[in-house]
């Protein structure tokens, strides 16, 4: 039976030339492609009240949390840093509720970029609100703009045997578009990979079937990077 994977959406918060004041919920097509190519059925979940999390998790077999805004520091006990970018408290609250409900229902979770960060925060971990000003041993460019999003730019350092075995290794290059990052990992999470300057790039928890990466495999699909589709395949294989 085909596996149904819920993707909590992002939303447009500002009027813009494309949509005007139609504040749409959306998910980038490349996430859909990665899951569809892995044999799964993506189901987009619009942002909703946290109390609806159970109803949404009921109808899917797993969740994939995707990129987007900064995570509000209120959820890990800090005041907003001067370099904090845009937040969406409604999205944060809904996704934190989804993480808790998916764990309660014992359904797998995969986080990508912001998805990694919100999972860590939902479980009690913390974040760097702004890597360039808060991470004092930074030597890697973690926001590769203006380099194209589908082009890998930096290496990984593998820290443990994990679900990523056979998908990535220390010769693997990944892309990078973030200024926040996991700081203290929540209890129960295992560090799977870092960048060469030590920033968290992947973690997991096999007991609760939680998996997360900081880079953007959905973007790498456009560059025909083989590890990108292999990552989606590996997650769908966990369901």
């Amino acid at each position: 039976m085909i596996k149904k994977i819920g993707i909590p959406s992002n939303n447009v918060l500002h009027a813009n030339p494309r949509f005007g004041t139609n504040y749409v919920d959306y998910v980038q097509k490349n996430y859909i492609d990665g899951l569809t190519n892995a044999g799964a059925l993506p189901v987009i979940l619009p942002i909703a009240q946290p109390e609806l999390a159970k109803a949404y998790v009921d109808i899917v077999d797993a969740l994939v949390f995707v990129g987007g805004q900064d995570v509000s520091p209120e959820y890990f006990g800090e005041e907003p840093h001067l370099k904090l970018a845009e937040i969406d408290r409604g999205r944060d609250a809904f996704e934190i509720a989804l993480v808790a409900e998916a764990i309660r229902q014992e359904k797998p979770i995969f986080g990508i970029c912001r998805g990694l960060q919100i999972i860590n925060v939902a479980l009690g971990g913390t974040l760097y609100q702004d890597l360039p000003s808060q991470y004092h041993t930074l030597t890697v460019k973690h926001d590769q703009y203006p380099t194209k999003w589908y082009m890998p730019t930096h290496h990984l350092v593998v820290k443990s045997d994990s679900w990523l075995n056979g998908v990535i290794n220390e010769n693997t290059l990944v892309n990078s578009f973030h200024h926040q990052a996991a700081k203290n990992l929540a209890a129960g999470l295992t560090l799977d990979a870092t960048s060469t300057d030590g920033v968290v790039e992947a973690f997991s928890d096999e007991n609760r079937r939680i998996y997360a990466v900081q880079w953007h495999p959905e973007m790498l699909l456009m560059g025909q990077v083989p590890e990108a589709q292999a990552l989606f395949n590996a997650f769908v294989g966990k369901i």
Side-chain angles (χ1 to χ4, degrees):
M1 181 178 295
I2 192 167
K3 300 299 183 181
K4 299 186 294 296
I5 300 183
I7 310 177
S9 70
N10 199 347
N11 62 358
V12 172
L13 295 171
H14 306 283
N16 64 78
R18 173 66 176 170
F19 295 108
T21 55
N22 291 314
Y23 297 111
V24 299
D25 288 78
Y26 69 93
V27 168
Q28 290 95 329
K29 184 177 181 296
N30 291 342
Y31 294 109
I32 304 298
D33 291 342
L35 293 171
T36 302
N37 292 341
L41 179 69
V43 178
I44 299 173
L45 309 180
I47 297 172
Q49 294 78 19
E51 54 266 28
L52 294 178
K54 180 182 183 304
Y56 278 118
V57 176
D58 283 344
I59 64 173
V60 298
D61 300 300
L63 292 173
V64 173
F65 294 89
V66 300
Q69 301 89 346
D70 284 1
V71 176
S72 175
E74 70 182 284
Y75 292 107
F76 49 96
E78 294 183 7
E79 289 296 302
H81 186 273
L82 290 172
K83 297 290 187 179
L84 183 71
E86 182 178 54
I87 62 170
D88 182 347
R89 295 178 69 250
R91 183 182 181 189
D92 291 342
F94 180 52
E95 291 190 344
I96 287 169
L98 287 172
V99 170
E101 183 60 28
I103 291 171
R104 191 189 71 79
Q105 293 193 26
E106 299 182 347
K107 293 182 176 179
I109 299 169
F110 181 29
I112 295 172
C113 194
R114 170 197 154 90
L116 174 148
Q117 296 162 15
I118 198 70
I119 291 169
N120 188 46
V121 169
L123 299 178
T126 63
L127 303 180
Y128 292 103
Q129 293 188 51
D130 179 63
L131 277 174
S133 57
Q134 293 184 307
Y135 190 86
H136 301 304
T137 55
L138 202 67
T139 59
V140 170
K141 186 175 183 180
H142 287 273
D143 182 354
Q144 70 184 53
Y145 180 83
T147 299
K148 285 290 189 179
W149 58 88
Y150 54 77
M151 190 173 297
T153 60
H154 78 73
H155 286 96
L156 300 173
V157 178
V158 176
K159 293 294 186 178
S160 63
D161 290 331
S162 74
W163 73 296
L164 297 173
N165 290 358
V167 177
I168 65 165
N169 56 54
E170 292 190 4
N171 294 317
T172 298
L173 285 168
V174 297
N175 56 355
S176 195
F177 293 92
H178 64 109
H179 85 115
Q180 292 199 317
K183 185 177 182 180
N184 298 311
L185 289 188
L189 298 179
T190 298
L191 179 62
D192 295 329
T194 68
S195 54
T196 54
D197 57 359
V199 173
V200 173
E201 289 284 342
F203 63 64
S204 62
D205 177 359
E206 286 290 351
N207 291 330
R208 293 178 288 181
R209 290 191 292 174
I210 298 169
Y211 311 95
V213 299
Q214 182 58 61
W215 67 94
H216 282 272
E218 83 290 351
M219 295 179 178
L220 294 176
L221 290 174
M222 293 187 67
Q224 299 183 332
V225 176
E227 293 91 345
Q229 187 59 53
L231 198 64
F232 286 103
N233 296 348
F235 175 67
V236 172
K238 292 288 188 178
I239 304 170

